[in-house]
Amino acid sequence: MGHKAAAALAEGFRGQVVVPGDPEYDAARAVWNGAIDRRPEVIARCTGTADVLRAVAVAREYGLLAAVRGGGHSIAGLGVCDGGMVIDLSPMRGVRVNTEHRIARAQPGTTWGGFDHETQAFGLATPGGLMSGTGIAGFTLGGGFGWLSRAYGLACDNLLEADVVTAEGRVLTASSASHPDLFWGLRGGGGNFGIVTSFTYRLHRLGPAVLCGAVFLPGERLAEVLAVVRDHMLDAPDELFASCVAGAAPAAPYLPAEYHGRPVVRVGVCWAGRPDRGREAVAPLRAALAPFQPVADTVQARSYAQWQQALDPGWGPGARNYWKAEYLSVLDDGAIRAIAANTARTTSPLSDVRLAFLGGAIARVGADDTAYTHRSAPYLLTVNSRWEGGEAEPHIGWTRRFWSEMRPYSSGGAYVNFLGQEGPGRVLEAYGRAKYERLTALKDRYDPDNFFRVNQNIPPSS
């Protein structure tokens, strides 16, 4: 069936069609998470909307399961499937910036590194991922928070328009004025309703330099550090975003050699505004951290694009990953002790624990204005197991036990972009019952056969 579908697909398809046995096959089916090893029958590497339409039509005609790949960065490996067709959007990487209207139109294979490269040439940006290799597509469709989100909201809050290929092969433009129900669902509902072939974003003035960087502290001070950052961020200006990461220190030139591989906690900050005002806002935090004897302090004015790439080393493709994430409503002393105790039991030097401090513009958007949920949650905890070989169970077990111990402090929800293959119950938690039912009605309208189901799936009602 796969070869017949591939032959049919090739007619009128401008991109590359890859099948098992082709020299490019293994590279084309690989995704960022090395724990994912799936073998599709056909990979349709699209060059534009016409190719996407053709791929959807052939997959439907031949009854093939279809996975949609943007940046391929999904922790659950949702950009590839066994036995079906991968509709690969990664060759579609065009970005066009309109400086007059402060908008950018980008294709779905674009990564945030590529997007920032284009927009920062004009001193503009929109909230993107915490790593430059993350794709814009899945990130935006799941909500998408990053260094600029307390100032300017989520990626989906800055989405103005989207061109969508539906399961029945129509091309719709969704915005607040056109197909507003679909536009609502695209902003947080994931890839359940179609394939977005073009994203139009609102841009904000940023740069040429921003105050950003990290203060590194000894890992044994984790509990004290978290308490200090928590207290500082309670009334911090919206322009300041902070994130704490606990793990083994990288072998980086800005860290003393004797700390390489030792546990450290990194307090990362980014100020979305003038660097001089950022120094004033960050100064009390740096002073409060000083008694814990910082190992290094890299906070300085640099380009936003450089800062977006700062977390890339050590987080490239190929390693095996298993994550669990939870929004927290409470970060009291008990929660902090649980984080510190579980972090000390990590099973791999590649793993880390991340705590993002949310709020600001994220929380000011109405709870029902988009499909993204849990806007009022002040914290997002992510437990990231990462390893290169050997048995997976010790690492997965550590992650699950850690997550389980943090559930009493949960706000009751999951971040859809950080969900692994955790089942329909966790998808329901990501949206809540009322919003999930609204998304189901939207699925009934735009994809009643559940053609788009290789995702954090919201099935139709029948």
Side-chain angles (χ1 to χ4, degrees):
M1 184 68 73
H3 286 285
K4 290 182 180 179
L9 177 64
E11 299 177 12
F13 190 81
R14 290 188 61 190
Q16 183 183 25
V17 179
V18 180
V19 297
D22 286 348
E24 307 92 340
Y25 178 72
D26 283 335
R29 70 184 180 89
V31 291
W32 175 83
N33 186 356
I36 307 300
D37 184 20
R38 300 183 187 136
R39 305 185 68 85
E41 287 292 319
V42 185
I43 301 172
R45 308 197 73 227
C46 302
T47 62
T49 300
D51 281 355
V52 175
L53 285 165
R54 182 66 182 153
V56 168
V58 170
R60 286 186 68 95
E61 179 182 355
Y62 285 86
L64 293 177
L65 181 68
V68 182
R69 173 179 179 147
H73 215 268
S74 161
I75 183 63
L78 299 174
V80 67
C81 60
D82 277 322
M85 176 188 291
V86 171
I87 302 175
D88 186 358
L89 312 176
S90 62
M92 300 169 60
R93 297 188 176 189
V95 180
R96 183 177 180 181
V97 180
N98 183 320
T99 57
E100 180 181 358
H101 295 99
R102 292 191 193 176
I103 61 173
R105 185 181 296 270
Q107 291 182 301
T110 306
T111 63
W112 284 111
F115 185 92
D116 295 334
H117 177 76
E118 297 298 330
T119 61
Q120 278 287 278
F122 306 100
L124 299 168
T126 206
L130 298 174
M131 288 182 282
S132 70
T134 303
I136 68 167
F139 180 89
T140 301
L141 295 173
F145 78 91
W147 296 109
L148 306 181
S149 288
R150 278 176 49 87
Y152 302 125
L154 304 170
C156 72
D157 298 332
N158 290 273
L159 183 67
L160 299 175
E161 186 177 276
D163 294 338
V164 186
V165 173
T166 69
E168 61 181 16
R170 300 170 65 200
V171 180
L172 305 177
T173 298
S175 68
S176 58
S178 174
H179 303 286
D181 59 339
L182 177 59
F183 187 56
W184 177 88
L186 293 174
R187 290 175 294 160
N192 275 283
F193 312 110
I195 300 174
V196 178
T197 58
S198 177
F199 295 82
T200 301
Y201 296 95
R202 178 189 300 110
L203 300 177
H204 306 270
R205 292 288 182 196
L206 191 77
V210 295
L211 187 82
C212 53
V215 180
F216 292 81
L217 302 114
E220 62 268 20
R221 310 305 293 267
L222 174 58
E224 298 159 291
V225 169
L226 289 179
V228 164
V229 179
R230 174 200 62 194
D231 293 346
H232 182 80
M233 293 303 294
L234 286 175
D235 57 0
D238 290 352
E239 292 89 346
L240 182 63
F241 189 94
S243 171
C244 294
V245 180
Y254 50 80
L255 292 174
E258 62 268 25
Y259 271 92
H260 293 177
R262 289 173 57 182
V264 295
V265 53
R266 184 192 71 224
V267 181
V269 296
C270 183
W271 176 264
R274 287 172 41 183
D276 57 340
R277 293 181 180 175
R279 290 187 186 93
E280 295 174 6
V282 174
L285 176 59
R286 288 166 121 170
L289 293 173
F292 307 139
Q293 299 181 318
V295 175
D297 186 335
T298 68
V299 179
Q300 60 182 300
R302 56 164 68 84
S303 79
Y304 173 68
Q306 285 178 317
W307 180 234
Q308 281 283 74
Q309 300 171 29
L311 300 185
D312 291 356
W315 280 87
R320 301 173 187 178
N321 293 265
Y322 181 86
W323 297 0
K324 293 284 279 188
E326 195 78 13
Y327 289 108
L328 304 183
S329 57
V330 175
L331 192 62
D332 60 14
D333 291 346
I336 288 175
R337 284 195 297 270
I339 292 172
N342 280 283
T343 300
R345 293 192 282 268
T346 183
T347 55
S348 168
L350 301 180
S351 300
D352 67 24
V353 179
R354 304 184 177 212
L355 185 70
F357 293 79
L358 307 177
I362 299 170
R364 286 198 297 273
V365 176
D368 295 323
D369 288 356
T370 66
Y372 178 86
T373 316
H374 308 295
R375 288 187 177 273
S376 62
Y379 316 104
L380 178 62
L381 177 72
T382 314
V383 184
N384 305 314
S385 281
R386 185 172 168 89
W387 68 100
E388 290 185 332
E391 292 295 322
E393 185 50 42
H395 313 295
I396 293 174
W398 169 72
T399 306
R400 288 175 172 168
R401 287 189 295 272
F402 195 147
W403 170 76
S404 179
E405 289 192 26
M406 297 308 300
R407 289 281 276 179
Y409 308 99
S410 171
S411 65
Y415 177 41
V416 68
N417 279 351
F418 287 172
L419 278 180
Q421 294 178 302
E422 300 179 36
R426 284 288 278 167
V427 177
L428 176 60
E429 285 187 35
Y431 297 107
R433 174 64 64 182
K435 194 166 285 188
Y436 186 88
E437 290 176 356
R438 184 174 173 182
L439 288 164
T440 300
L442 200 62
K443 185 76 168 181
D444 288 344
R445 179 173 182 181
Y446 288 98
D447 186 18
D449 298 325
N450 207 15
F451 176 77
F452 297 112
R453 60 185 182 275
V454 184
N455 46 38
Q456 299 297 349
N457 195 232
I458 299 167
S461 57
S462 61

